[in-house]
Amino acid sequence: MLVFILVIALILLLLLMTKLTIYLNYYHHNDNDDLQIEFRIWFGLIRYKKKIPLVKIDENSPSIIIKSTSSMGNVDHVENSEYDVKQFTKNDFLENYRRINFLLKKVVHLHTIIRKFLQKISINKFEWQTMIGVGDAAHTAIVTGVLWSIKGNMTGLLSQYFKLKVMPVISITPHFQANVIQTRVSCIFQFRIGHAILAGLKMIKFWKGSIKTFNNKTHFSTKANSSTG
């Protein structure tokens, strides 16, 4: 029994100390989107990859269609996996909004808990390249200036909330003759699983009232439907 307890304790300690590395790559060109997220632990021994090659607005209804596929282990298998198609309606977004709003009201010091957890996350890579053109040289110059402002503010937020271990690589290329929008984002995040578990335990500790309501999907979907009516 003592050996069993020691083994379980060592496994838990190893899990708490394990670093989770997240690779995020996003590419957008006009109407085409491609998002890939990969999770790795133990130097890539265990991997999970999510690929979302399609995000578009449904022409027949006010909803968004997302096509995705996932894979465990060898990341090359994700290319041959079946795609899962999901449709998100306005009610789905309202339901998620109400859940977030409910969470903000129920957890005391939620902003502090999230901020302390974000400060434990290291950004080992951040690259964001954009090519933009609106068909008119003057308007393209204005849009380019606005984009530089947005990217500068986002870089400031990253350095304020995360551990920024590298200098962000940011570029904007204006295209004065064509109507085009193309952007590519590549990031690497890393944090210890124990820090995420600790943040979750703090949220449970400072939760006001019953947690069953948050898990009740009918509660939020009913409110969403009533608000739309």
Side-chain angles (χ1 to χ4, degrees):
M1 181 61 70
L2 181 60
V3 173
F4 176 77
I5 293 174
L6 287 175
V7 171
I8 296 298
L10 286 174
I11 293 175
L12 289 175
L13 181 61
L14 178 62
L15 181 63
L16 294 174
M17 297 298 294
T18 296
K19 287 186 176 181
L20 174 64
T21 305
I22 303 174
Y23 295 80
L24 186 148
N25 291 284
Y26 173 72
Y27 175 74
H28 172 81
H29 179 66
N30 291 338
D31 294 331
N32 298 319
D33 292 273
D34 185 76
L35 174 64
Q36 295 186 27
I37 305 175
E38 184 179 345
F39 302 87
R40 294 185 186 182
I41 61 173
W42 298 333
F43 304 100
L45 185 63
I46 297 179
R47 304 180 183 184
Y48 175 80
K49 187 172 184 178
K50 188 81 171 179
K51 183 177 181 181
I52 305 175
L54 176 64
V55 179
K56 70 174 184 178
I57 298 176
D58 188 12
E59 298 178 355
N60 301 319
S61 63
S63 60
I64 295 177
I65 299 175
I66 297 178
K67 184 172 73 171
S68 64
T69 184
S70 58
S71 175
M72 284 288 294
N74 192 338
V75 295
D76 294 332
H77 292 169
V78 74
E79 303 295 339
N80 302 319
S81 303
E82 280 191 26
Y83 286 102
D84 180 25
V85 180
K86 293 183 179 180
Q87 189 171 11
F88 292 89
T89 63
K90 180 175 65 175
N91 287 337
D92 293 326
F93 286 104
L94 282 174
E95 179 185 331
N96 291 328
Y97 169 76
R98 290 183 178 277
R99 281 181 177 273
I100 295 173
N101 194 34
F102 181 81
L103 191 65
L104 290 172
K105 292 179 180 178
K106 285 294 181 179
V107 180
V108 182
H109 307 305
L110 178 62
H111 179 267
T112 303
I113 295 173
I114 294 177
R115 180 161 186 164
K116 286 185 177 180
F117 171 64
L118 293 179
Q119 289 174 348
K120 302 294 183 181
I121 300 178
S122 300
I123 298 181
N124 300 331
K125 177 183 179 182
F126 186 85
E127 297 180 359
W128 187 4
Q129 290 91 24
T130 302
M131 177 184 289
I132 186 72
V134 295
D136 179 83
H139 291 163
T140 298
I142 294 173
V143 173
T144 301
V146 172
L147 279 177
W148 273 117
S149 178
I150 293 173
K151 288 192 176 188
N153 290 332
M154 291 194 65
T155 304
L157 289 175
L158 288 175
S159 61
Q160 181 179 355
Y161 285 95
F162 297 86
K163 284 184 180 178
L164 201 56
K165 290 193 171 182
V166 293
M167 193 69 182
V169 178
I170 295 174
S171 67
I172 300 177
T173 304
H175 201 303
F176 296 106
Q177 286 78 32
N179 190 0
V180 62
I181 176 169
Q182 177 179 320
T183 188
R184 185 185 300 274
V185 181
S186 181
C187 311
I188 299 178
F189 302 91
Q190 191 175 65
F191 61 89
R192 295 190 187 274
I193 296 178
H195 291 147
I197 294 175
L198 180 61
L201 292 175
K202 286 182 178 180
M203 290 176 65
I204 295 174
K205 178 182 178 181
F206 292 104
W207 186 281
K208 297 186 298 182
S210 174
I211 201 172
K212 293 182 179 180
T213 307
F214 184 75
N215 297 324
N216 187 358
K217 185 176 180 179
T218 307
H219 174 78
F220 296 98
S221 60
T222 302
K223 283 191 172 184
N225 290 332
S226 63
S227 63
T228 55

